[in-house]
Amino acid sequence: MAILDWMNLRALVQKISALTNWKVLAIIFALLNLKSLPFAWHIRVLGASFRHYFFPPARFTVETGPSALFQPMVISSRPNLIDCDYNLHKSNSTYFTDFDVGRVHLCVCLIGSGLRNTTHQLGSLVNIHLGGVSCNFKKEIKPYEAFEVWSRILCWDRKWLYTISHFVKKGSVRPKGYMLQPWRKIKLEKSKNRVNDESESTGAAVKSGVRKPASNPAIFASAISKYVFKQGRLTISPEKILQNSSLLPPKPAAIETPSPAESPAIDGISLGAAATSAPPSMSSTIANEIIDASLEAHGDGEIWDWNRVEAERQRGMRIAELYAGLEALNDEFKYDDQPALGKFRDLY
């Protein structure tokens, strides 16, 4: 009888041990793939919103102003195993979730106060909505390879606020400092050496007649996004939001912004601010210069008056106008009463 009880106890211990091993493996797997767990995206986005909306770092350090308008916000991350496709690199579709998180950090930090102030002025809630994203992939990102997402405001027009984001190899680009986090230490020696090396190689390339590379080799992917601000069906101009965020310098008296009543309306929606003239066409070289400028830091002592902000905005509009041309894709959907190859069901 005692032998039988011992055998039963031993079998029970083995079952518990096997179950524990599976739990340990499941926990390890979950920890290695935190970004891909259910509701992980919601936690990341809502966490970033909560952090900057209720506890903005500028409140405890310095106040943002026009000099911060075009400065990038940086987040760091790694692709987990579930993020990767059958080629064992970060899947194209997963880039957009990281772009989402980077843009939320940027927008809530810079214009969260503007949304609150505009809501108080107009007496009802003003929301921000994503209107579109376009991404250009450059290089692969391997599993668990560290990267950074640099996001900044590119430009704006009467309706849309455009942002640009870059996936960058971690540590390859180093800012000279962080405006909202002055306590962060920056290792400048490596960055200076890298810049000097690039300058020397560029100078040698010019002398030898070799063409300069088209874009920053540290960039994995680049994306442009556009946001619209809504109060119900009414569209609020980005300029108004930026002004209420204390990000725009005083506008010269000679430049007038028409009131919503004087602005043209589309489908009953007022557009608010003055229209921008169509920028001239540009080459791919100029486009790459604008994209690479997103990774360059602005000087601490530089004064951003209205003319300088407007010049930078117009420079960014040259990229945004190319992106706006993608609206013509909708006209290419003409399949009524036309034959199709077939129709198949996916998992759901």
Side-chain angles (χ1 to χ4, degrees), residues 19-277:
L19 183 61
T20 302
N21 290 337
W22 278 108
K23 286 184 177 180
V24 171
L25 291 176
I27 292 174
I28 293 175
F29 180 81
L31 291 176
L32 291 176
N33 297 275
L34 279 177
K35 291 172 57 178
S36 300
L37 294 180
F39 304 107
W41 178 88
H42 301 79
I43 295 173
R44 296 168 67 198
V45 169
L46 294 177
S49 301
F50 184 87
R51 177 189 304 176
H52 292 289
Y53 196 85
F54 294 102
F55 303 101
R59 181 182 302 173
F60 306 106
T61 55
V62 296
E63 294 184 0
T64 56
S67 62
L69 179 57
F70 298 106
Q71 287 188 354
M73 177 70 75
V74 186
I75 67 169
S76 60
S77 186
R78 298 173 184 268
N80 56 49
L81 193 59
I82 297 181
D83 282 342
C84 299
D85 57 20
Y86 49 79
N87 291 316
L88 290 182
H89 59 220
K90 185 174 175 63
S91 176
N92 296 346
S93 61
T94 63
Y95 281 77
F96 294 92
T97 59
D98 292 302
F99 280 135
D100 288 341
V101 178
R103 289 194 309 266
V104 167
H105 276 276
L106 171 72
C107 292
V108 181
C109 178
L110 281 184
I111 62 178
S113 60
L115 290 173
R116 289 194 300 267
N117 295 335
T118 307
T119 295
H120 293 325
Q121 289 178 1
L122 301 180
S124 59
L125 184 63
V126 176
N127 288 314
I128 179 173
H129 302 281
L130 183 65
V133 183
S134 180
C135 183
N136 186 30
F137 302 103
K138 291 290 186 181
K139 295 182 178 180
E140 68 173 2
I141 303 180
K142 299 177 181 178
Y144 300 102
E145 181 179 1
F147 63 82
E148 295 173 338
V149 181
W150 292 56
S151 303
R152 75 171 179 93
I153 292 177
L154 178 66
C155 59
W156 61 92
D157 56 22
R158 292 192 305 172
K159 181 178 181 180
W160 300 105
L161 175 73
Y162 295 92
T163 65
I164 189 170
S165 303
H166 306 284
F167 268 77
V168 181
K169 185 177 182 63
K170 185 175 182 179
S172 61
V173 180
R174 298 179 185 273
K176 68 169 81 173
Y178 297 96
M179 172 181 286
L180 303 182
Q181 298 170 315
W183 58 86
R184 279 189 175 272
K185 296 182 179 180
I186 306 295
K187 296 180 180 180
L188 292 176
E189 294 184 0
K190 183 178 179 180
S191 178
K192 289 181 179 179
N193 293 334
R194 180 180 58 82
V195 172
N196 291 335
D197 292 342
E198 290 180 355
S199 300
E200 292 175 0
S201 61
T202 301
V206 171
K207 292 180 180 179
S208 62
V210 179
R211 189 175 181 179
K212 184 181 177 180
S215 62
N216 193 319
I219 297 177
F220 293 123
S222 299
I224 184 173
S225 311
K226 62 180 182 180
Y227 283 102
V228 64
F229 302 95
K230 291 284 188 177
Q231 184 195 40
R233 287 183 54 82
L234 179 68
T235 299
I236 309 300
S237 69
E239 183 178 312
K240 183 177 183 65
I241 301 296
L242 294 175
Q243 286 176 339
N244 289 337
S245 302
S246 300
L247 290 173
L248 291 182
K251 180 186 292 188
I255 302 178
E256 296 182 359
T257 301
S259 64
E262 298 171 348
S263 302
I266 300 178
D267 297 333
I269 299 176
S270 173
L271 297 182
T276 55
S277 58

